[in-house]
Every structure is written in structure tokens, then in C-alpha cells.
């Protein structure tokens, strides 16, 4: 009986617009994962805590790395592989001094 109530509630409240928005979001998440795999696994870029967010035709990169060149390389790779998307980097460049002898 509870399952029937839940099913009826979903059928009543989920419109075509909501369903389309959900489908679009899933497609964006899949594309973001594809981009992440390309940077981390295919190109072996070292970006800690990489998070890619796609908003319409904007690709926002977030994470941390030690080198500005890594950020530039990530931007170049995505811009060349995914034309039509604007890549915006919010990746922070930080130095890890935990192992230095100061």
C-alpha cells in the first residue's frame, strides 16, 4: 500500500519539465565525469580534490595543485577536446611544505 502511495505521489508531482531537468542534470554529471577521467587518468594531471561542474556551456574546475602549468594544461585539454564549452578554472595552486627541511 505504501509503495502504491509513493508511486501515485511521483506520478502526480513529476512533470515533464522536472523530468527533463533531471535528465539534463544526469547528462551534465556524466560529461563532468568523462572530463575528470580525461584529465586524471588519460593525461595524468595531478589535481587534488578535482571537482568539475558543468553549468550550461560553462565548465568550472575546482581543486588544488602545486603548479600553474597543471592548471593551464587542464584548461587547454578541455578546450581542445570539448569545443563549445568555456572552461573556467577555480583551481588553487598551493605548495605542500610538509616534507621540506626548513
Amino acid at each position: 500500500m505504501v509503495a502504491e502511495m509513493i508511486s501515485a505521489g511521483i506520478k502526480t508531482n513529476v512533470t515533464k519539465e522536472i523530468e527533463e531537468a533531471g535528465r539534463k542534470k544526469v547528462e551534465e554529471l556524466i560529461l563532468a565525469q568523462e572530463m575528470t577521467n580525461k584529465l586524471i587518468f588519460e593525461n595524468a594531471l595531478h589535481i587534488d580534490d578535482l571537482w568539475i561542474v558543468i553549468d550550461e556551456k560553462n565548465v568550472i574546475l575546482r581543486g588544488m595543485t602545486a603548479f600553474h602549468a597543471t592548471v593551464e594544461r587542464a584548461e587547454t585539454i578541455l578546450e581542445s577536446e570539448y569545443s563549445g564549452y568555456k572552461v573556467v578554472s577555480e583551481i588553487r595552486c598551493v605548495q605542500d611544505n610538509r616534507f621540506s627541511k626548513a
Side-chain angles (χ1 to χ4, degrees):
M1 187 166 108
V2 172
E4 289 175 9
M5 289 172 52
I6 292 171
S7 178
I10 291 172
K11 288 177 184 175
T12 302
N13 294 316
V14 176
T15 64
K16 289 194 183 281
E17 293 82 17
I18 292 173
E19 188 173 336
E20 183 59 34
R23 185 174 297 115
K24 181 181 174 190
K25 185 63 178 174
V26 168
E27 289 171 0
E28 288 174 349
L29 290 169
I30 291 170
L31 181 58
Q33 185 61 55
E34 180 183 305
M35 290 176 174
T36 301
N37 291 347
K38 182 166 291 299
L39 295 178
I40 301 300
F41 299 115
E42 292 178 27
N43 291 282
L45 295 183
H46 185 79
I47 303 172
D48 293 323
D49 300 324
L50 178 62
W51 184 259
I52 297 179
V53 177
I54 298 176
D55 181 26
E56 297 296 324
K57 290 293 184 176
N58 294 313
V59 177
I60 304 164
L61 307 176
R62 296 183 177 131
M64 293 181 292
T65 189
F67 304 103
H68 289 283
T70 303
V71 176
E72 292 171 4
R73 180 82 174 119
E75 291 172 338
T76 301
I77 289 167
L78 293 182
E79 286 171 351
S80 67
E81 294 281 330
Y82 301 94
S83 61
Y85 286 90
K86 179 183 177 193
V87 178
V88 177
S89 176
E90 295 179 3
I91 296 174
R92 296 177 186 253
C93 291
V94 296
Q95 290 295 324
D96 186 359
N97 295 322
R98 292 179 291 173
F99 305 107
S100 67
K101 296 179 182 179

